[in-house]
Amino acid sequence: MSASAPPFSDEHDQLRQSARGFIERELTPHAQRWEDERWFPDEVFPKMAAQGLLGLKYPECYGGQGGDYLHEAVLVEELARTGSGGTAAGIGAHINIATPPIWKFGTEEQKQRYLVPAIRGELIGALGITEPGAGSDVAAISTRAERVDGGWLVNGEKTYITNGVRADFIVTAVKTSAEGGHSGISFLIVDRGEGVTSSKLEKLGWHASDTATIAFEDVFVGEENLLGELDGGFKLIMANFQWERLAMALGAVGAMTVAWERTADFARQRSAFGKPLSRHQAIRHKLADMATSVHTCRCVTYDALRRFVGGEDPLKEVTMAKLLTQRAAFELMDDALQIHGGAGYMHEYWVERAARDARLGPIGGGSDEIMREILGRVLSL
Ligand SMILES: Cc1cc2nc3c(=O)[nH]c(=O)nc-3n(C[C@H](O)[C@H](O)[C@H](O)COP(=O)(O)OP(=O)(O)OC[C@H]3O[C@@H](n4cnc5c(N)ncnc54)[C@H](O)[C@@H]3O)c2cc1C
């Protein structure tokens, strides 16, 4: 199964080869240890930056590579080869959800102060929207920013924030009017400092990433850190959802591809009842179904990507790609685990981790139910 297919060109294939080489050399060999240690080192960011991998889609004037979302798509798919959902998630949060709003909506001064060092891997970013009382219903956030001389005082709590412990800055959704809601939310770039405290959360998968609760207690944020328009934050949330969901679909396609390759190899090598597992019809059919699922997910995702980079607003196609791939990835990992038998349940086998890591997909970045609600609206149901 070649990854090279429209909309990708030879140039993207070259990037794919070099990104894969870097990932398999510098990240994959450490994946198990980082998962066990519940942390991947911050040095991964400058290392990736040195390869140009933190700024693929950003203009050269900010230290980026001057590419576009297709280049980023290649990296997101290849990051699955890390074999640590948590590491891929930490890097992904930085490049796919924390820095894009600054690039799109930031002032020149904000880009110099945050985007440029973020592309160099010197500052690490997080996106803070979810709260204990508001997840799917993002308009219900209650973290509030009160106007004071020269800026705002922020009070409240965010939760399940990727890079929530290590992040130097948090692109944070806050209520800037008493009512909040769709027309009363703004974004502030909050620096880690006085009044900001993080607590790391234990979770089912993505162990190497620092998912955290972040409390803000009388945190002063200067007015120069308002990102985008005052009370215009809901638009900003919506603007990045398409890419975030597309990136999740691409990540799932990457992870499914690797899982299929490894499981097929295992089934060819492992014997039972005098012949390789892959020669037993039930297993062979399962592998055939898995390959079909990978291909279907890739086609649907690449179609959405093609439309996205072509300038369409492919809400329907991106939503379908997110919905299809996240559940399919989880199901494929479960099949892969089953084919591994008892070994699949063991910590030392990659598939045990892959199955746990894949469970987040149907929840994060907008759950399956929310994807169906969006499709219900798009399809006028
Ligand atoms: C590991 C991890 C990393 C994350 N990283 C980040 C991050 O970096 N930044 C960030 O801001 N957030 C992050 N999140 C939060 C994530 O986006 C939310 O968990 C997700 O949006 C769901 O919100 P919730 O957990 O509050 O669930 P809820 O919104 O409380 O939903 C609970 C259940 O009800 C369902 N439901 C809700 N509304 C409806 C409806 N209208 N109709 C039918 N069913 C509905 C949901 O689908 C879900 O099954 C992360 C979460 C996890 C687990």
Side-chain angles (χ1 to χ4, degrees), residues 10 12-13 21 23 36 62 71 90 131 160 173 190 192 194 232 305 329 332 335 358:
D10 288 350
H12 299 110
D13 284 352
I23 288 162
D36 290 344
Y62 299 118
H71 297 89
E131 300 184 355
Y160 310 145
V190 181
R192 185 167 298 283
E194 208 178 324
L305 178 63
L332 182 135
D335 285 341

Side-chain angles (χ1 to χ4, degrees), residues 97 127 129-130 135-136 160-162 206 360 363 365 367 369-370:
I97 58 176
L127 178 71
I129 298 176
T130 306
S136 304
Y160 310 145
I161 307 305
T162 307
W206 285 23
L360 191 267
I363 299 169
S367 67
E369 290 76 16
I370 296 304

Side-chain angles (χ1 to χ4, degrees), residues 40-50 54 87 90-95 118-125 163 166:
F40 71 92
D42 289 355
E43 292 71 50
V44 165
F45 289 92
K47 254 190 184 171
M48 289 198 62
L54 294 187
T87 305
I91 298 164
H94 181 77
I95 60 178
I119 291 172
R120 281 202 223 108
E122 292 166 2
L123 289 184
I124 300 171
N163 292 341
R166 71 177 88 221

Side-chain angles (χ1 to χ4, degrees), residues 249-250 252-254 256-257 290-304 320-330 332:
L250 286 157
V253 168
M256 290 168 83
T257 305
M290 289 163 71
T292 306
S293 177
V294 178
H295 183 65
T296 311
C297 287
R298 167 164 287 126
C299 289
V300 170
T301 300
Y302 282 9
D303 175 62
M320 286 179 170
K322 204 279 180 182
L323 177 62
L324 173 76
T325 55
Q326 306 307 299
R327 181 58 60 179
F330 179 63
L332 182 135

Side-chain angles (χ1 to χ4, degrees), residues 35-88:
E35 286 283 315
D36 290 344
E37 290 173 357
R38 303 283 202 267
W39 187 269
F40 71 92
D42 289 355
E43 292 71 50
V44 165
F45 289 92
K47 254 190 184 171
M48 289 198 62
Q51 303 293 314
L53 295 176
L54 294 187
L56 288 173
K57 63 182 173 304
Y58 296 132
E60 288 170 40
C61 59
Y62 299 118
Q65 301 301 300
D68 57 26
Y69 281 104
L70 281 183
H71 297 89
E72 199 74 272
V74 169
L75 174 64
V76 172
E77 210 179 313
E78 290 305 314
L79 271 176
R81 291 190 181 265
T82 307
S84 155
T87 305

Side-chain angles (χ1 to χ4, degrees), residues 89 93 97 126-138 158-164 171 173 201 203-206 209-212 241 244-245 360 362-371 373:
I97 58 176
L127 178 71
I129 298 176
T130 306
E131 300 184 355
S136 304
D137 185 6
V138 289
K158 298 289 172 184
T159 195
Y160 310 145
I161 307 305
T162 307
N163 292 341
V171 176
L201 299 161
K203 51 196 188 296
L204 176 72
W206 285 23
S209 77
D210 54 318
T211 310
F241 264 153
E244 179 182 1
R245 290 170 183 166
L360 191 267
I363 299 169
S367 67
D368 282 3
E369 290 76 16
I370 296 304
M371 294 305 101
E373 282 298 297

